[in-house]
Amino acid sequence: MEPEGSSPRRLLAALARQTIVTGASLITGLRSLWSRTGPTANQTVYFANHTSHGDFVLLWAALPPDLRTLTRPVAGEDYWNTSALRRFIGRDVFNALMIRRDASAGGPSSVDPLAQMGAALTAGDSLIIFPEGTRNTGEAVLLPLKSGIYHLSRSFGHVRFVPVWIENLKRVLPKGALLPVPLACSVRFGEPLELVPQEDKTQFLQRARQALLDLRPEYDREADPAPPAPPSAPASRETQTPGSGA
């Protein structure tokens, strides 16, 4: 590949970007369903359920083209930094914000993922995050949300936090699959969460979780089981960080 930032590399990234967005839309029959507020250019953190490696691709593709250029998916460095091709797709094609989910892997000098996200928000970027912290490959409708999204909301009160429900993608690209299965998918954008003064972490996370569950289509709205109880031991940095399991 050409040196990072070179014109041929940028051209190749733009071509790959359009190909991926078009391919994702064709394979899934992508439908973008917006709340009454609709898409706006205001700085936003889109937080979504996470069941597939393709989640951030589909959510990113569901945004209007002018908003895609402003929006960076938060992705796990351990996955996207394992080959030159993945690095090119993650960094050049999607301009993803790469975070190290296990800080201990990089030693004491590792960058705090929340600080990385905060720096991106301070710079004016919008973000795509998955507050479950990892892909949900089990039978639970939604895993418990990690506390990183709460801390971001407290620090960046001017940023909109918009819940997003990605429907059916787990069946299109199940874990371990090499090729996608063509099935209809929808990306449902909800109303931005209103910040509540003096709201504690538990209350915020419950409200954010419910905002996601409320976006499920009617046929999928079965009784929602209680989320698994959090571990009794203090959570590690990894479990406190919203990001991508991809």
Side-chain angles (χ1 to χ4, degrees), residues 1 77-90:
M1 287 186 181
E77 184 181 66
D78 55 299
Y79 178 84
W80 290 98
N81 204 33
T82 55
S83 71
L85 179 60
R86 284 184 181 178
R87 282 193 298 273
F88 172 73
I89 293 174

Side-chain angles (χ1 to χ4, degrees), residues 22-182:
T22 301
S25 300
L26 289 175
I27 291 171
T28 65
L30 175 61
R31 292 192 306 157
S32 302
L33 305 175
W34 293 85
S35 67
R36 58 182 176 82
T37 56
T40 76
N42 295 337
Q43 191 177 17
T44 303
V45 172
Y46 303 95
F47 64 97
N49 61 313
H50 192 23
T51 61
S52 167
H53 280 315
D55 285 331
F56 85 63
V57 176
L58 202 65
L59 199 165
W60 195 81
L63 297 172
D66 57 331
L67 296 189
R68 288 182 206 144
T69 62
L70 306 173
T71 305
R72 304 180 66 186
V74 175
E77 184 181 66
D78 55 299
Y79 178 84
W80 290 98
N81 204 33
T82 55
S83 71
L85 179 60
R86 284 184 181 178
R87 282 193 298 273
F88 172 73
I89 293 174
R91 297 184 187 276
D92 293 77
V93 176
F94 291 106
N95 189 28
L97 177 64
M98 299 297 181
I99 62 170
R100 180 174 285 122
R101 290 174 291 186
D102 183 1
S104 63
S109 63
S110 295
V111 177
D112 181 354
L114 283 177
Q116 286 181 267
M117 288 183 270
L121 291 173
T122 299
D125 296 326
S126 291
L127 297 177
I128 294 171
I129 69 172
F130 299 97
E132 291 169 279
T134 187
R135 280 184 299 146
N136 180 3
T137 58
E139 297 300 319
V141 177
L142 188 68
L143 299 177
L145 306 190
K146 308 305 180 185
S147 63
I149 187 175
Y150 167 77
H151 296 299
L152 284 178
S153 72
R154 296 300 101 179
S155 299
F156 296 90
H158 64 285
V159 175
R160 301 190 321 153
F161 281 73
V162 172
V164 183
W165 189 263
I166 302 171
E167 178 190 356
N168 221 21
L169 192 56
K170 186 175 183 179
R171 295 170 59 199
V172 173
L173 195 63
K175 184 175 182 179
L178 297 179
L179 295 175
V181 179

Side-chain angles (χ1 to χ4, degrees), residues 180-197:
V181 179
L183 289 170
C185 294
S186 298
V187 178
R188 300 170 182 265
F189 296 83
E191 293 288 319
L193 284 185
E194 297 290 339
L195 293 182
V196 177

